[in-house]
Amino acid sequence: MRIVALEEHFTVPELIGRIEPATIRARGFPGPDIRPLAKARSADLAEVGPERLARMDEAGISLQVLSAVGPGADLLDPTRGIALARDYNNRLKQIVNERPDRFAGFAHLPMTAPDAAADELERAVRELGFCGALVNGTTEGRFLDDPMYAPLLARAEQLDVPIYLHPGIPPEAVRKAYYDGLPGGTGFVLSTAGWGWHAETAVHVLRLVLSGTLERHRRLKLIIGHMGEGLPAMMARCDNTLGGEVSTYLDRGVSETILDQVWITTSGFFTLAPFMAALMTFGADRILFSVDYPFARNDVGTRFLDTLPVSPADKLKIAHANADRLLGLKP
Ligand code: ZN
């Protein structure tokens, strides 16, 4: 069975090396040698050759759509951010060119320069053949509903490519108010993979709905990971509290808008309860398999895919057919 995974990450350490360590620390990223696990992951992120391919083979993953995570162009001023994003994408194009049968790409965008981000998205799609872009959380405290990003969203619509809303490190004020004062490294993990990332990405989607951004960009397609970032369990609650007279300025209901314009992936979530909630809300046409490599294991992901209590036809949709259609991949 063809298996496509699309929240799969890589980094280019020499490009990250262009960002001052003090800037990286100020944005809330942990230092490189905090935990042995983090070190191993850094190596796995940077490796895009035989080891990665061997782990894909062992797990039966046909194709990874690669995206950059960690410190990136959004930490730099517009001029340097534009150059970094361009070099990141050119490097990704080389990686894809070496194994076009195994890798595809999401663009890394210079988010501090929104107009240039729209142009870089277009270059990445038209010239480099990428499938869309992945955005890591907030940029200088702004979500994509900020009017400055309207040209980027319009360009994604014109190009008919999705934007993957991926979590990022929370802004400093959020870190301080919500996550400081806990023992050891627990505050950092709570602010990110332990809870905060998922809440933040769900807020990101809801802001795009409630601001009317998705009304203004009706053809915009969004992807979110982690089995829908909690939204499947919250969908009816969102309609009850945020719909009706609270948001009469919207043409569509909250969940209706989400179900029109958002696709979800299984990245890092390989248990049945959240999957069933996702299946009962988003349905099999809107769930796409993903792993979140190297933060989750390919083999754990594909074993979970094997056991899903869905029809063979729905399993094929989740494994690859939905992704092939949404991303325009040619099997
Ligand atoms: Zn991820």
Side-chain angles (χ1 to χ4, degrees), residues 115-302:
D115 293 326
D119 291 342
E120 181 62 8
L121 175 64
E122 179 155 353
R123 186 184 79 91
V125 172
R126 289 200 194 283
E127 293 176 29
L128 309 183
F130 289 1
C131 312
L134 180 138
V135 173
N136 289 305
T138 54
T139 303
E140 297 175 335
R142 295 186 182 91
F143 290 92
L144 287 183
D145 62 283
D146 191 291
M148 71 192 271
Y149 290 118
L152 170 63
L153 304 184
R155 199 73 63 91
E157 286 181 284
Q158 283 164 22
L159 295 165
D160 193 27
V161 292
I163 294 180
Y164 203 122
L165 296 181
H166 188 265
I169 305 284
E172 188 178 13
V174 175
R175 299 201 302 272
K176 280 210 161 81
Y178 278 36
Y179 303 111
D180 269 6
L182 292 168
T186 51
F188 176 74
V189 179
L190 184 66
S191 77
T192 53
W195 192 268
W197 271 346
H198 311 300
E200 179 192 275
T201 308
V203 166
H204 204 158
V205 170
L206 290 168
R207 287 189 60 100
L208 287 164
V209 175
L210 297 171
S211 59
T213 304
L214 294 186
E215 295 282 353
R216 291 188 289 280
H217 300 277
R218 287 227 177 196
R219 284 175 298 135
L220 182 64
K221 296 170 177 174
L222 300 172
I223 307 172
I224 56 173
H226 308 113
M227 211 62 96
E229 309 284 17
L231 286 170
M234 292 294 289
M235 211 77 114
R237 174 79 171 173
C238 291
D239 279 334
N240 286 341
T241 55
L242 297 167
E245 61 186 22
V246 175
S247 55
T248 46
Y249 55 92
L250 297 175
D251 290 344
R252 293 171 293 173
V254 175
S255 67
E256 185 187 357
T257 306
I258 292 172
L259 294 174
D260 279 348
Q261 294 186 248
V262 181
W263 283 253
I264 69 177
T265 78
T266 64
S267 59
F269 274 55
F270 306 128
T271 56
L272 212 45
F275 175 78
M276 293 312 291
L279 188 67
M280 291 169 76
T281 48
F282 282 76
D285 289 332
R286 294 218 163 225
I287 303 174
L288 292 69
F289 176 76
S290 287
V291 172
D292 205 0
Y293 180 90
F295 303 100
R297 286 176 49 162
N298 292 335
D299 57 339
V300 176
T302 52

Side-chain angles (χ1 to χ4, degrees), residues 10-19 24 41-48 68-69 71 84 88 91 95:
F10 83 114
T11 57
V12 182
E14 59 266 35
L15 293 179
I16 294 175
R18 288 190 201 165
I19 308 170
I24 292 174
R41 276 189 186 143
S42 297
D44 289 341
L45 276 165
E47 199 275 339
V48 285
V69 288
L84 185 77
Y88 234 119
R91 174 71 191 115
I95 295 164

